[in-house]
Amino acid sequence: MSYESDYSASIERLAGRYRYLEQEGLLPLPVKDGVTLVVLLRHAGWAAECLNLLHQHSGASVTLIGVAMNRDFPLPPLAEAFPGVTCIPYESGNDGVNEALAYAGTSYVALIEDTVMVSPGWIGHLLWPSIDVPVVQVIAPRSSTELGEGREQLHFGTDLELSAYVSHSLGRQQGGWHEVEVLGGSCLIFTRELLLRVGGFDPGLVRRQLMVADWCLRARQLGIRLALSDAVYVHSLHPLEADHEGKQEGEQAYLAKWGLDASAVKMDTDAGILPVPADVSILLPRPGIPLGRSAVAPVPLVTAVVFSDEILTSGQSLRSLQRLQEQQSYGNIRWVWVRDIRSEALPEIAVREQDAVIAVQGEKSWLHALENVSALYGSEIVVYLSASADYDTHYVERIAGAVRHGSADLVVSRTGSAMEETATDHGWPGPTAKKLPLERIAHRSGIVPGRITRGEPPYSLLLAPGPSLAIGYTGGPPELNASNMQAGGEVCL
C-alpha cells in the first residue's frame, strides 16, 4: 500500500506541512480582516502580562480593546504601556463590555478575561471549526474555567512549559473539535455576524460565566452550533481568594430566565456545572441586549442613611463614610450621616452638596432622626447602612431594585439564617410585630418605617415595623424566602 493511499498518513502529512508553513510565518489567520480581542480588565497584577502575550502570540491582524471592569482598576498606566490598545474606562451605569463589542469591525470577535495566558498559534487554530462547518459560529478552547468536559486543570511553571504542552496537544489532536450544549469559560470567540443577531451579554446575570452561557443559549436558539476545541488550551490564572460576589443572585436570575427548576437541577458554577434547557429550540426567544453604550433609564435617587451605635470622632466618621461610598457601584446615592456628637461641638465632615450630616445629641434624638429622615429628603428609596458593617459592591443596587420592582413596602436583605423575630415588647399590637436588623433594611420613601429601638445582644439596632406594612425578603438561602407566603402582611420577592 502506497503512503498516498493511506488516508490517515495523508492527513498527517498535510498537518505536518501546515505546521511548517505556520512556523515559518507563511500562513496568515484564516480570515481576511483579522480578529477583535475584547479583554475584560479586573486584575491589575495580571492584565499587563495577558496583553503582552496576546500581542506576542495573536499575529498582526488583531485589534485589542481593554475594558476596565471596576472603578479601582489602574487604567492609565496600562494604556501608556500598550498604546495600541483601545481602553474603555469604568463608568457606573454603563456596561463597558457591550460598548466594546459594538466597536468590533472584524469578522471574528473574542471575549477574554485578563487572567488568560495564551501561546503561539492559539487564535488561528480556534477559527478552523467555523471554517470547517459554517453553522459553527461560537468556539472556545479548553481551560480550567470552561464548563463540563472542556474543564482542564493544569499547572505550568513558565510560558515555555505552557507552549510546549500546547504544541504537543495541537500535534496530537490534529485540530480536532466537537459540538457542545453550552460554553462558559474565560475565553470565547464568535463571528461578528452572530453578535449582531444575538445582541450583547446580559449584565443582569452578574457573573461572567452565567453571561457567557446565557449568550450561547441565545445563539443556539438561532440554530447556531457551539464548538469546543480539542486541540487548543489556554491557561487561566485563578485569584487566591474566591469571588462569590453576586453568585446567588446571578444563579437565581439564570434559572428563572431559562425556566429551570432550582430544586430539580444541579448547579455549581465554581465546579463548572451549569444546567441547560433540554431543548432551547422550543423555548420562546429571549430578548436581545443592545450593543453600544447602555441606554440606561435615569437611575432613581436612593437616600443611604448611615448610622453608628458608637460615638465616632470626625476622623472616624469620615473614614467610615468614605469606605461605604467606595464599596457601592450604584450611581445615584444621596448619603445622609446621622451622628451622635456628644463628644464634639460640630460635625466637621466635608460632604457633597446633595449629601448631609445630621448632628444629634443623645440616643433618644438620634433614634428619632433615623425614624424621620425619609420625610426630610425626597427620594424614591431609603436604605439604612451601618457604619461598622461591610457590604458587597452591588448591595444598594440589589436591595433598592427589590423595593422598586417588588410589591413590598419594606425589604429585608437576608445573609444567612432567618433574621427576624416576633416582637411584642416594644408596644406593637399583636404577634405580627417583628424585630428586623436596621442595617439590612430598605423601604419606599414617604412612609414611616416603624420604631427604631435597641435590641438584645449583640446590641444591634432593630427596626420594628407596624403590622400595616408589607414586608419582603431577598437574599439568603432560597428556602427561607420560599417560606414567606402572601399572608400576614408579608410578600416573597
Side-chain angles (χ1 to χ4, degrees):
M1 180 183 294
S2 68
Y3 186 81
E4 271 70 17
S5 65
D6 188 321
Y7 179 78
S8 62
S10 297
I11 294 297
E12 185 176 352
R13 171 188 272 184
L14 290 175
R17 289 177 177 177
Y18 170 80
R19 287 198 300 272
Y20 169 79
L21 293 173
E22 183 186 42
Q23 290 169 2
E24 294 298 319
L26 299 176
L27 279 180
L29 290 174
V31 290
K32 293 180 180 179
D33 55 358
V35 180
T36 299
L37 309 180
V38 177
V39 185
L40 281 57
L41 304 173
R42 304 179 191 272
H43 306 90
W46 297 342
E49 183 60 20
C50 172
L51 292 178
N52 183 45
L53 292 177
L54 289 174
H55 266 300
Q56 287 184 37
H57 302 320
S58 302
S61 300
V62 296
T63 302
L64 277 164
I65 302 177
V67 183
M69 300 302 293
N70 55 66
R71 61 165 55 91
D72 297 325
F73 188 87
L75 196 58
L78 199 70
E80 185 177 348
F82 297 92
V85 177
T86 300
C87 293
I88 297 180
Y90 174 85
E91 181 181 347
S92 180
N94 177 55
D95 186 86
V97 175
N98 289 331
E99 180 182 354
L101 292 173
Y103 294 143
T106 54
S107 298
Y108 286 84
V109 184
L111 191 65
I112 306 169
E113 288 276 355
D114 63 0
T115 58
V116 169
M117 303 296 151
V118 300
S119 54
W122 73 280
I123 196 168
H125 289 284
L126 274 184
L127 296 177
W128 286 113
S130 182
I131 294 169
D132 293 341
V133 180
V135 76
V136 173
Q137 295 186 27
V138 185
I139 312 110
R142 292 175 295 109
S143 75
S144 60
T145 60
E146 192 49 74
L147 298 171
E149 59 189 303
R151 197 174 183 87
E152 189 165 342
Q153 300 276 7
L154 300 173
H155 301 279
F156 303 97
T158 64
D159 293 344
L160 293 177
E161 291 182 13
L162 170 61
S163 297
Y165 169 78
V166 172
S167 178
H168 171 72
S169 178
L170 288 172
R172 180 167 46 87
Q173 297 292 343
Q174 296 294 345
W177 59 273
H178 64 279
E179 188 175 356
V180 293
E181 288 187 315
V182 70
L183 297 165
S186 52
C187 181
L188 190 76
I189 192 165
F190 42 88
T191 64
R192 181 174 180 270
E193 175 189 1
L194 177 62
L195 175 66
L196 296 177
R197 293 173 62 196
V198 176
F201 290 75
D202 185 355
L205 299 178
V206 185
R207 303 194 85 189
R208 176 212 156 86
Q209 195 172 39
L210 298 170
M211 297 182 202
V212 171
D214 167 76
W215 192 89
C216 289
L217 293 178
R218 285 188 278 138
R220 282 183 55 197
Q221 287 191 307
L222 300 176
I224 298 303
R225 292 166 59 183
L226 317 176
L228 175 68
S229 173
D230 296 318
V232 182
Y233 169 88
V234 298
H235 193 57
S236 181
L237 302 173
H238 284 270
L240 295 177
E241 297 181 359
D243 177 18
H244 297 294
E245 182 177 318
K247 177 182 178 182
Q248 184 182 42
E249 289 78 9
E251 290 179 351
Q252 291 175 349
Y254 171 85
L255 293 173
K257 184 171 185 177
W258 291 100
L260 298 167
D261 184 357
S263 63
V265 298
K266 183 178 182 181
M267 171 179 275
D268 187 350
T269 52
D270 292 330
I273 301 172
L274 191 67
V276 298
D279 187 355
V280 295
S281 64
I282 65 174
L283 300 176
L284 291 174
R286 272 37 183 182
I289 289 102
L291 297 172
R293 289 183 60 81
S294 303
V296 180
V299 178
L301 177 63
V302 170
T303 295
V305 182
V306 183
F307 65 92
S308 173
D309 54 357
E310 299 177 358
I311 301 176
L312 304 179
T313 66
S314 294
Q316 291 171 327
S317 296
L318 180 59
R319 287 191 293 272
S320 295
L321 186 57
Q322 288 174 337
R323 174 177 54 82
L324 289 171
Q325 289 174 333
E326 290 170 357
Q327 281 177 343
Q328 293 308 310
S329 62
Y330 194 82
N332 193 12
I333 299 178
R334 170 191 287 119
W335 296 88
V336 177
W337 186 281
V338 181
R339 287 189 61 220
D340 189 332
I341 59 165
R342 280 175 286 180
S343 63
E344 295 184 87
L346 294 173
E348 299 176 355
I349 301 180
V351 295
R352 300 173 305 171
E353 184 177 352
Q354 69 171 356
D355 298 336
V357 177
I358 299 178
V360 295
Q361 290 190 349
E363 185 173 301
K364 184 176 181 180
S365 61
W366 181 76
L367 295 173
H368 180 72
L370 284 175
E371 289 178 1
N372 293 279
V373 71
S374 62
L376 299 176
Y377 301 98
S379 64
E380 192 170 328
I381 299 160
V382 177
V383 176
Y384 295 89
L385 302 174
S386 170
S388 59
D390 282 312
Y391 300 88
D392 66 76
T393 306
H394 300 284
Y395 173 76
V396 169
E397 181 179 353
R398 285 200 307 274
I399 195 169
V403 174
R404 187 183 183 207
H405 300 296
S407 58
D409 299 300
L410 181 148
V411 171
V412 183
S413 175
R414 279 174 159 145
T415 55
S417 59
M419 297 187 294
E420 76 282 355
E421 305 171 19
T422 300
T424 57
D425 55 347
H426 295 297
W428 294 103
T432 59
K434 295 180 180 294
K435 297 192 297 183
L436 301 169
L438 184 62
E439 70 274 7
R440 290 283 168 177
I441 293 292
H443 64 79
R444 300 183 188 279
S445 188
I447 66 173
V448 178
R451 182 178 302 168
I452 299 175
T453 65
R454 273 196 180 276
E456 301 301 323
Y459 306 105
S460 60
L461 291 170
L462 303 174
L463 178 64
S468 62
L469 293 179
I471 306 171
Y473 299 91
T474 183
E479 61 271 15
L480 292 179
N481 293 334
S483 66
N484 295 315
M485 301 301 179
Q486 294 271 1
E490 298 186 9
V491 295
C492 178
L493 302 178

